[in-house]
Amino acid sequence: MRPSKRTEILDAALGVIEAGGVTAVTFEAVAEAAGMTKGGLLYHFGTREVMLQALHEHLAEQWETALTEAAGKPAERASDAERLAAYAQVATHSATRAELLLMLETVNDPAMHAPWNGVLARWTPPLPEHADISPGELSQLIARLAADGLWLIESLTTPLHPSMRARIANHLTTLA
């Protein structure tokens, strides 16, 4: 199935971010990357902010799909351990500079960050508010933090060898 024009635009915008950061996202730059006119872009996204919000939603939907596939079921039908194992698998295989830059750009903007918060709320255990947690909860927290750390390091530096990444993902799954 051919991707929609909207998806093509969002993918082009991610390429612009990957190359030049979030500040490089202009109607002109994205239109050029998407191979369309600025007017065509404005038809789909009336403002830059609307386009950025759509990018967050687009990426969060991709994560949700990947997490559902990794778990073999939607979050609401998966156990805590299954959700966290799926998160560890996906986080260790999905790291792009564009995702990181978008998240950093909007971490203090609740509306923009809402799609990410929704994914995290469905798929990861909440961060504890105190140190009084069970050993099992501690293992789950360590698995989540390790998956997040691997995602971060892979978005900032050279990715690990795929076999090493797979070994780490499998080990994190056992902690979940």
Side-chain angles (χ1 to χ4, degrees), residues 8 15-16 30 40 67 81 106 130 142 150 160 166 168 173:
E8 289 177 15
V16 169
V30 175
L67 289 161
T106 61
H130 52 80
I142 291 168
L150 184 57
L160 291 172
I168 292 170
T173 298

Side-chain angles (χ1 to χ4, degrees), residues 31-108:
E32 182 179 333
M36 61 188 308
T37 66
K38 182 178 170 183
L41 188 67
L42 284 165
Y43 172 80
H44 293 280
F45 304 101
T47 67
R48 181 179 184 271
E49 289 70 31
V50 168
M51 184 175 13
L52 290 173
Q53 181 67 43
L55 279 167
H56 287 283
E57 292 165 2
H58 178 65
L59 288 171
E61 287 168 11
Q62 288 178 349
W63 270 75
E64 190 77 37
T65 299
L67 289 161
T68 300
E69 288 173 4
K73 58 184 91 167
E76 63 273 3
R77 291 194 8 238
S79 69
D80 291 347
E82 289 171 326
R83 287 192 308 271
L84 184 56
Y87 181 78
Q89 289 289 325
V90 171
T92 58
H93 291 92
S94 178
T96 69
R97 183 173 181 266
E99 285 175 330
L100 174 63
L101 291 173
L102 278 166
M103 289 179 113
L104 288 173
E105 185 81 14
T106 61
V107 72
N108 292 321

Side-chain angles (χ1 to χ4, degrees), residues 121-138:
R122 283 186 294 282
W123 290 96
T124 64
L127 296 173
E129 295 179 14
H130 52 80
D132 186 26
I133 60 175
S134 72
E137 291 169 321
L138 181 60

